[in-house]
Amino acid sequence: MFWTVTLSLLKGFGAATELFFLTLLLGLPLGLVVAFGSMSKFQPFRRWILYRKKAPGKFLQALAQLRPISALTNIIVWIIRGTPLMLQIIIIFYGPGLWFDNNIWAFGNGRMAACTLAFVINYACYFSVIYRGGIEGVPVGQREAGEVLGMTKRQIFFKVTLLQMVKRVVPPLSNEIITLVKDTSLARIIAITELIKAGEAYMKSNGITWPLFYTAVFYLIFVGILTLLFNFVERKLSYFR
Amino acid sequence: MAILEVQNIEKHFGSTKVLTDISFSLEEGQALSIIGSSGSGKTTLLRCLNFLEKPDKGRICVRGKVLFDAGDPSTQLEGEIRKKRLHFGLVFQSFNLFPQYTALQNITLARELQARERGETKAQIEAAGRELLSQMGLSDRADHYPHQLSGGQQQRVAIARALALQPDILCFDEPTSALDPELTGEVLRVIRNLAEKKTTMIIVTHEMAFARDVADQVIFMDEGIIVEQGDPHKVIDHPKEDRTRQFLSRYTERN
C-alpha cells in the first residue's frame, strides 16, 4: 500500500512542480514587464494640453498629469491581487466555454494550460510589486554618481544598480516563491490531480487518512530545499550593504 | 583665460526660481568657495555644472569652449552630455560610493569602462587608483567595502574616485556635512592638500574658517542670487552686505 500511495503522490507532485516551474519561468519575466508598466511616466496628453494657447481647465489639467500606462497597470494589479487566485482559475478555465460557447481549453493538457495562465498572471502581479520596490529602493544618488563619472545609462544599470536591486529583491521574492509551492494545490479546483487531490483520493476510496498527511512531507522537503537555496543566494550577496 | 565661465545662469523648479542671474569665473588652479544658508541654491548650482540639472537660461564655458547654452539646442544633445560631464568631477554630500565594490574598485570602475577611449591598460588604471588611495592616506583600505569604512574614509574614497577621471574642475557639495564632527578634519585636510597642489575646485561648504583659508575666491549666495563675491578675507571678515553679515553672525554665535 505504501508504495502505491507513494507512486500516486509522486504523480501529483509531478503536476505540482510542473505548475510551479512554469509559473516561475513565465511569471518572473512577465512581472518585470508589469513593474516597468506600473512605473511608466508616459504622459501622452501633457504636451498637447500644456502648449495650447488657452489655459487648461481643471479637467484638462488632470488629464495632462495622467499616466495611462501606469494607471491601467495599477488597476490590473489591484484586481488580480484583490481577488482570490481560485476564482481566477475558475474564470479562466470555464469562462470561454460558458460565455463565448468556445472552450479553448479542450485539448490534451488544456486544464494545466489554463491553470498555468491563471498562476502566471497572478504571480506576475505580485512579483511586479516586489521588483518595483527593489528598483525604487536603490538611492537616486547611485545613478547620479554613475552619471557624473561619465558612465552610460547601460553601464549604470548593469555595473551599478542591477546587483543592488537583486539584493533587495531576493528576500521578498523567496517568500512569494515559497507561497507559490503551496498555492499549486489550488489547481484541483479544475480537476488537476496535484498532491492534495491525489492524497485525498485514498481517504474517499479506502477510508485512510495518512496519505493526506504524507503529502505534507513532499511540501516540506520541497520548501526545505528552496529555503537552503535562497539562504545560499542571500549569503552570496551579503558581502555588501 | 579663465578655465570656467558661468554666465547668467537661471533655474526654475516649476514656478519657484532657484537660481537668478548667476555669473562668475574661475582661473585654473584656483579654489572657489560657495557659502550660504540651506535652500540658497548652492547645491543646484553645482548640479547644473555637472549636468544633473538643466539651467533654463545662461551659458557654461570651459577653457573658452561653450559647453552649455540654454538658447542653443545644439549644445544640449543627449549623446554629448556624457563627454562634457568629464570636465567636472563631483563629490557628493552623502558620498554615494557603490556598495558592491571595494574602495579601489570604486575608484577604477569608471576609468576602466573608458579605458579604450582613453587608451589605457587595466594595470595602469589600477596603479593610478592605488596611487590616489595612498594620496588619501588609505593604502591599507584598498580592499575594504564602503560599509567597512568610516564616513570620513568613505568621503576620501569618493574624492579619489572623482579625481581618477582627472576632471578640469572638481566640485564638492558640502563634503563634510554628513560627517560626525570629529571626522571632518581628515576630509578637510585632503581638500587643503588638493588646493596646495593647485587643483581647480569649487567647494560648497558650511565650514567658514576652512572656506576663508583655502579659497582664492568666495561667493555668498542667498535665495538664488549671488549677494557678495570676492576675496575670502574681505567677504568673510569684513562683509559689505547686510545679508552676508547676518548669515555670518549666526555662524559665529554657534561656534
Side-chain angles (χ1 to χ4, degrees):
Chain A
M1 192 63 193
F2 181 73
W3 286 114
T4 0
V5 171
T6 304
L7 277 179
S8 112
L9 288 193
L10 269 176
K11 235 185 196 164
F13 183 64
T17 44
E18 187 187 344
L19 184 56
F20 173 81
F21 283 113
L22 280 175
T23 304
L24 283 191
L25 195 73
L26 302 170
L28 285 172
L30 182 63
L32 201 58
V33 176
V34 178
F36 285 133
S38 69
M39 288 187 295
S40 159
K41 294 198 171 74
F42 181 55
Q43 293 176 317
F45 311 111
R46 187 190 164 85
R47 188 168 283 244
W48 174 67
I49 289 168
L50 295 186
Y51 290 91
R52 284 181 346 151
K53 289 215 178 81
K54 237 177 81 187
K58 271 217 167 103
F59 172 74
L60 283 184
Q61 266 180 12
L63 191 64
Q65 298 299 320
L66 181 72
R67 297 174 172 169
I69 296 181
S70 161
L72 191 69
T73 316
N74 286 331
I75 289 173
I76 294 172
V77 171
W78 170 58
I79 292 172
I80 297 294
R81 292 203 307 166
T83 55
L85 175 55
M86 189 186 277
L87 181 65
Q88 292 161 17
I89 300 169
I90 293 171
I91 289 174
I92 286 182
F93 182 66
Y94 294 109
L98 287 174
W99 299 323
F100 308 107
D101 217 9
N102 175 18
N103 184 7
I104 55 171
W105 308 113
F107 55 90
N109 273 332
R111 285 168 194 276
M112 185 52 111
C115 195
T116 305
L117 180 64
F119 268 74
V120 167
I121 294 172
N122 185 280
Y123 270 84
C125 287
Y126 281 98
F127 292 153
S128 81
V129 180
I130 294 174
Y131 287 144
R132 188 173 157 175
I135 293 170
E136 289 174 347
V138 177
V140 206
Q142 290 291 309
R143 205 192 60 232
E144 289 182 347
E147 284 179 3
V148 169
L149 291 168
M151 293 160 94
T152 63
K153 286 203 164 122
R154 256 184 93 86
Q155 289 169 341
I156 292 171
F157 179 75
F158 285 107
K159 300 279 180 184
V160 177
T161 44
L162 181 63
L163 196 62
Q164 296 183 46
M165 288 174 200
V166 172
K167 186 183 168 77
R168 269 157 225 269
V169 151
V170 168
L173 210 54
S174 63
N175 225 349
E176 206 55 47
I177 290 172
I178 283 170
T179 304
L180 170 61
V181 175
K182 292 157 294 166
D183 270 1
T184 56
S185 59
L186 291 170
R188 63 165 303 172
I189 202 69
I190 53 170
I192 292 172
T193 312
E194 45 65 57
L195 259 174
I196 304 269
K197 192 171 160 68
E200 202 191 9
Y202 288 94
M203 193 171 79
K204 286 179 176 158
S205 58
N206 303 42
I208 48 175
T209 51
W210 64 262
L212 212 45
F213 290 94
Y214 190 13
T215 63
V217 177
F218 285 81
Y219 287 114
L220 282 171
I221 290 174
F222 195 37
V223 169
I225 293 169
L226 284 177
T227 306
L228 291 176
L229 197 73
F230 289 129
N231 285 348
F232 173 76
V233 175
E234 275 181 49
R235 238 192 348 266
K236 275 269 157 198
L237 289 172
S238 68
Y239 71 92
F240 71 90
R241 266 182 219 149
Chain B
M1 189 186 52
I3 189 167
L4 172 68
E5 249 180 279
V6 173
Q7 297 166 348
N8 315 103
I9 292 284
E10 202 170 306
K11 174 75 190 167
H12 305 255
F13 287 128
S15 55
T16 29
K17 211 173 196 183
V18 205
L19 295 174
T20 311
D21 199 24
I22 301 287
S23 301
F24 64 89
S25 67
L26 187 62
E27 299 294 326
E28 182 145 23
Q30 274 199 342
L32 162 70
S33 278
I34 304 179
I35 57 174
S37 45
S38 5
S40 59
K42 309 175 304 276
T43 297
T44 310
L45 176 59
L46 280 197
R47 290 173 62 87
C48 284
L49 293 179
N50 284 277
F51 299 91
L52 290 174
E53 304 287 354
K54 202 173 111 185
D56 298 309
K57 283 189 193 152
R59 298 210 304 177
I60 299 169
C61 310
V62 170
R63 295 187 198 279
K65 212 181 113 211
V66 180
L67 283 197
F68 176 88
D69 185 341
D72 180 1
S74 73
T75 63
Q76 299 167 29
L77 302 173
E78 271 297 317
E80 287 171 20
I81 285 184
R82 198 181 70 79
K83 275 246 166 75
K84 290 178 181 172
R85 282 202 167 109
L86 294 174
H87 289 288
F88 296 90
L90 178 60
V91 175
F92 296 87
Q93 181 178 350
S94 50
F95 331 138
N96 294 349
L97 289 180
F98 306 133
Q100 72 267 46
Y101 293 112
T102 63
L104 182 62
Q105 287 168 334
N106 261 282
I107 297 169
T108 55
L109 177 69
R111 193 155 158 185
E112 271 171 16
L113 293 170
Q114 293 156 23
R116 203 176 295 161
E117 25 189 315
R118 294 169 143 268
E120 292 176 318
T121 66
K122 225 180 150 168
Q124 284 171 327
I125 294 170
E126 203 193 303
R130 287 192 187 278
E131 169 60 33
L132 279 168
L133 270 177
S134 84
Q135 248 182 65
M136 298 295 139
L138 291 171
S139 294
D140 53 337
R141 295 285 184 273
D143 299 321
H144 285 57
Y145 288 93
H147 76 268
Q148 299 165 320
L149 301 172
S150 72
Q153 291 170 334
Q154 287 190 51
Q155 191 59 301
R156 284 186 279 158
V157 173
I159 294 172
R161 178 175 73 171
L163 282 170
L165 295 175
Q166 298 151 321
D168 293 323
I169 300 142
L170 186 54
C171 304
F172 294 86
D173 183 11
E174 303 191 19
T176 57
S177 295
L179 296 175
D180 293 336
E182 73 267 25
L183 296 177
T184 56
E186 55 186 270
V187 172
L188 295 181
R189 211 171 306 128
V190 162
I191 302 175
R192 206 181 288 262
N193 281 340
L194 291 173
E196 277 160 16
K197 283 190 206 141
K198 295 293 167 204
T199 313
T200 315
M201 296 188 287
I202 300 176
I203 310 159
V204 168
T205 183
H206 288 301
E207 305 278 342
M208 293 307 141
F210 175 75
R212 183 184 48 205
D213 296 349
V214 167
D216 302 288
Q217 203 191 140
V218 165
I219 286 178
F220 168 66
M221 282 177 71
D222 192 31
E223 293 179 345
I225 62 166
I226 296 182
V227 176
E228 199 163 343
Q229 172 171 14
D231 181 82
H233 291 278
K234 280 189 189 141
V235 174
I236 293 177
D237 295 336
H238 311 286
K240 280 201 290 263
E241 301 288 329
D242 274 347
R243 276 200 270 182
T244 321
R245 254 195 296 270
Q246 276 169 16
F247 169 75
L248 289 168
S249 70
R250 262 180 281 148
Y251 266 89
T252 37
E253 270 166 37
R254 215 171 56 183
N255 297 332

